[in-house]
Amino acid sequence: MIHTRALTKDFTVGRGEAVHAVRGVSIDIEPGELVAVLGPNGAGKTTLMRMLTTLISPTSGEATVAGHDIATHPARVRRRIGYVGQGNGAGHTQRVHDELYTQGEIYGLDRRAARTRADELIEALDLGALRERKVSDLSGGQRRRLDVALGLVHAPPLLFLDEPSTGLDPQNRANLWEHILRLRERHGMTVVLTTHYLDEADTMAERVVIVDHGRVIADDTAEALKTKLAGDRLTVGSPDVRTLSRLAEALPGARDLASSGERLELRVSDAPTAAAELLFAARDAGVPVTAVQSHRPTLDDVFLTLTGRSLREESSEVSK
Amino acid sequence: MSTLVRDTRIVMARELRPVRRDPFSVIFGMVQPLVFLGLFGPLLVGSLGGQAGVLGGSVWQWFVPAILVMTALFGTSATGANLLFEFQTGAHERMLVTPLSRPALLIGRALKEMVPLAGQAVIIVLVMTPFGFRPHPGGALIGLALLAVFGIGLGSLSYALAIAVRKQDWMFWAVQQTLIFPLMLLSGMLLPLETGPSWMRVAARFDPLAYVVDAERALFAGEWSADVAWGWVAALTTAAVGLAVGIRAMVRSAE
């Protein structure tokens, strides 16, 4: 569905100073996949998506999207993709039904078909009570659902969502996702989304592409990324941390040991087994253990392992 | 070509829908010209009304056609702000990802400018008739058509300006205001240039608005003079240049 080869975008800012927003990205996405592109703000996610949706042309490299080359046949690509951008797609002075009707006309539906399609989507995305409402009078969550509806008018085989749930409260986010996943199931759509919400990429996507400084630095299922790149974390409390860390070092796959006060933290490949082993070893050595806690890694741990930086901190800094 | 016509119609219909749903928005676009008509008109009558030679038979006959041009000037030169808003919200970006032809995105918007403009002009003519304004029917119709063509050009230029300053949106009003006041004063719209210094009359020759104003005055009086022809030249040139500049800007508006 998407094939890119060495896709690159440079921007010139100020006096000939080049910003390498996307550097040589090569990815392949097959029909039916649900892929999250994850990365900190400024990583190049949006630039990548703007190239794939034909909004901007790449500096170099190539890409085929929905069967057509983005550089030579942008019009054919546009016909086959749906796009929900970061902003609000619906015009603020327009009414909900009018905007969906116009979108239908744009994709070549006749009057009746455009009207029927608008009604279907209003139904599917729970916008029934808002049919004749002006877009500027809608709440953030309602607008976002309308944006998704606009992206789906022509039942595209491929849907792009650029930070679909940014700015929504948890309830609205869950609600939006429910709609997206149901529609995807019904139409067998391929979905590509960008996000900086770790949990969203983790729970919703079947495949996570991590982008940093314009490059793809990891690409796999969330589970595989976490197991391969981060590993479990174990936190153990003890008044004798020093002896405990000596014992912990002997555990299989143990690394990144760090102690503070009466607490020892380390990474292991399999936390529950390692915890049991460590408890036995501690009892044999006469070291008292006050608490044991194991954590499955998050995608933030994966990002931390890959870059030495925390994604959570970077995102929250920007949102301040 | 047929795609362009089809897409232009879709864009125009979309632009007109809020106007149709809320026709009173047309009235709001008339506030400034009505203020001039109500507050400046009587002053004009008071100070120049006696000098029949300067203004012709009736002051209203001289002033109302100019106010129609002013409506076009204020309304269509501000319309870029609507596009600027759609840049900010993301609505324009959504359009750019659809198969709509890029030129249609501009032409449809520019053609739409005719509709509120014609509505406003008709209202002003109707309101002023009881005060002694007597438009020549045939001339008035041609005058409205001339205004529509000029409005398409000015609207296109306003959209082009909006696209050019989309990353520093405050610039839009700064540029728009800086341009429309000299254009307006040099056109002889508010006060006859005949009473001003000669350099102003020379400068007015480079103001397309001046030709449009003269043509409207002639048309509404039913005079078929060379002023009418020059007015059409000015309006058609403005439309051609506006559309060319606007389409170029629109095609590049995604970057």
Side-chain angles (χ1 to χ4, degrees):
Chain A
M1 192 55 80
I2 298 176
H3 305 283
T4 76
R5 287 294 166 268
L7 203 61
T8 299
K9 181 73 187 179
D10 299 332
F11 290 111
T12 320
V13 290
R15 276 181 207 158
E17 198 186 321
V19 173
H20 309 289
V22 172
R23 317 175 190 217
V25 167
S26 302
I27 44 173
D28 294 286
I29 293 173
E30 299 309 321
E33 281 196 272
L34 172 51
V35 182
V37 179
L38 179 71
N41 285 302
K45 307 185 296 279
T46 294
T47 306
L48 179 61
M49 188 164 276
R50 290 174 68 82
M51 283 194 278
L52 296 178
T53 54
T54 76
L55 279 167
I56 53 176
S57 46
T59 309
S60 65
E62 28 188 86
T64 329
V65 173
H68 298 282
D69 191 304
I70 55 165
T72 55
H73 293 108
R76 292 188 197 167
V77 173
R78 285 180 202 139
R79 211 159 269 291
R80 304 200 59 209
I81 61 168
Y83 170 68
V84 178
Q86 274 181 27
N88 277 129
H92 279 216
T93 55
Q94 303 278 343
R95 294 191 187 178
V96 170
H97 187 272
D98 287 348
E99 207 51 335
L100 284 165
Y101 175 82
T102 301
Q103 191 79 350
E105 277 199 306
I106 291 174
Y107 286 96
L109 301 183
D110 62 35
R111 275 157 187 259
R112 187 185 299 180
R115 218 169 281 142
T116 315
R117 185 65 183 146
D119 288 335
E120 278 171 19
L121 285 163
I122 282 174
E123 177 84 11
L125 284 146
D126 258 345
L127 294 164
L130 311 166
R131 202 174 180 279
E132 301 301 326
R133 202 75 74 75
K134 250 171 83 173
V135 173
S136 54
D137 296 338
L138 304 184
S139 72
Q142 293 165 341
R143 263 180 226 172
R144 220 51 192 133
R145 292 209 302 277
L146 176 57
D147 290 338
V148 173
L150 284 166
L152 293 172
V153 162
H154 53 305
L158 169 61
L159 181 67
F160 289 98
L161 302 158
D162 198 359
E163 309 212 337
S165 54
T166 297
L168 296 185
D169 59 50
Q171 198 186 334
N172 272 314
R173 276 173 67 187
N175 177 269
L176 182 73
W177 269 107
E178 204 179 292
H179 286 299
I180 294 174
L181 293 178
R182 209 186 51 237
L183 291 162
R184 174 194 175 225
E185 191 128 322
R186 197 191 300 167
H187 302 290
M189 263 184 321
T190 310
V191 179
V192 177
L193 68 124
T194 68
T195 181
H196 57 245
Y197 288 125
L198 295 154
D199 52 332
E200 195 165 87
D202 199 341
T203 54
M204 301 301 172
E206 290 152 5
R207 177 176 162 193
V208 178
V209 175
I210 302 181
V211 178
D212 190 38
H213 295 307
R215 286 199 180 89
V216 173
I217 54 171
D219 178 358
D220 212 326
T221 64
E223 269 321 290
L225 286 176
K226 287 188 281 193
T227 311
K228 272 195 291 191
L229 291 167
D232 293 0
R233 219 168 63 221
L234 203 58
T235 312
V236 192
S238 166
D240 186 3
V241 169
R242 189 184 299 194
T243 319
L244 193 68
S245 36
R246 206 156 25 78
L247 297 171
E249 274 168 16
L251 293 170
R255 61 200 142 91
D256 299 346
L257 274 79
S259 54
S260 62
E262 302 200 339
R263 224 165 64 127
L264 173 72
E265 265 198 58
L266 68 151
R267 288 192 184 282
V268 289
S269 33
D270 177 6
T273 318
E277 272 182 46
L278 185 61
L279 277 177
F280 281 120
R283 201 174 56 178
D284 292 348
V287 178
V289 171
T290 52
V292 180
Q293 211 176 359
S294 75
H295 313 265
R296 280 293 287 151
T298 63
L299 286 174
D300 195 31
D301 296 319
V302 173
F303 192 76
L304 190 67
T305 313
L306 287 167
T307 66
R309 306 182 335 263
S310 166
L311 195 56
R312 205 179 294 277
E313 279 163 25
E314 294 203 4
S315 302
S316 62
E317 256 166 47
V318 173
S319 63
K320 269 179 222 158
Chain B
M1 193 59 198
S2 66
T3 324
L4 183 64
V5 173
R6 190 196 75 108
D7 288 357
T8 300
R9 190 199 61 75
I10 293 173
V11 172
M12 190 173 163
R14 173 176 182 266
E15 287 292 312
L16 283 175
R17 223 159 265 138
V19 181
R20 212 172 67 202
R21 302 276 189 224
D22 179 19
F24 286 101
S25 62
V26 172
I27 310 276
F28 291 123
M30 298 170 45
V31 172
Q32 251 157 332
L34 284 180
V35 166
F36 275 91
L37 205 54
L39 298 180
F40 192 81
L43 291 178
L44 202 62
V45 176
S47 57
L48 296 170
Q51 297 165 267
V54 180
L55 299 185
S58 137
V59 172
W60 291 128
Q61 217 64 33
W62 184 85
F63 196 47
V64 173
I67 286 298
L68 296 180
V69 182
M70 185 193 269
T71 310
L73 180 68
F74 280 114
T76 59
S77 72
T79 193
N82 300 321
L83 178 60
L84 213 45
F85 189 53
E86 297 223 318
F87 267 108
Q88 286 158 359
T89 61
H92 183 66
E93 188 183 71
R94 160 192 140 223
M95 296 297 210
L96 290 174
V97 182
T98 70
L100 272 181
S101 98
R102 303 289 205 250
L105 279 170
L106 185 102
I107 304 170
R109 280 176 178 274
L111 291 180
K112 159 255 171 181
E113 293 306 318
M114 295 191 300
V115 178
L117 188 55
Q120 289 163 349
V122 169
I123 294 173
I124 290 175
V125 170
L126 290 180
V127 166
M128 289 317 291
T129 308
F131 293 94
F133 176 56
R134 292 285 172 269
H136 181 277
L141 278 179
I142 298 174
L144 288 181
L146 175 68
L147 213 54
V149 171
F150 185 65
I152 291 169
L154 213 53
S156 301
L157 290 171
S158 179
Y159 288 125
L161 173 63
I163 296 168
V165 301
R166 65 191 181 280
K167 281 161 190 160
Q168 306 93 28
D169 52 11
W170 57 271
M171 285 263 290
F172 179 80
W173 293 112
V175 175
Q176 190 253 9
Q177 298 286 310
T178 309
L179 289 176
I180 64 170
F181 283 100
L183 280 175
M184 181 171 84
L185 292 169
L186 282 176
S187 73
M189 189 186 282
L190 296 175
L191 289 167
L193 287 173
E194 284 77 358
T195 57
S198 60
W199 67 262
M200 278 187 96
R201 286 195 293 278
V202 174
R205 279 191 211 143
F206 299 94
D207 181 357
L209 205 57
Y211 296 94
V212 175
V213 170
D214 288 345
E216 292 292 346
R217 283 186 180 136
L219 283 166
F220 274 84
E223 292 162 11
W224 311 101
S225 60
D227 280 348
V228 174
W230 282 116
W232 276 103
V233 170
L236 287 168
T237 311
T238 308
V241 171
L243 285 171
V245 173
I247 288 170
R248 241 173 91 94
M250 184 60 85
V251 169
R252 297 175 178 180
S253 66
E255 290 286 335

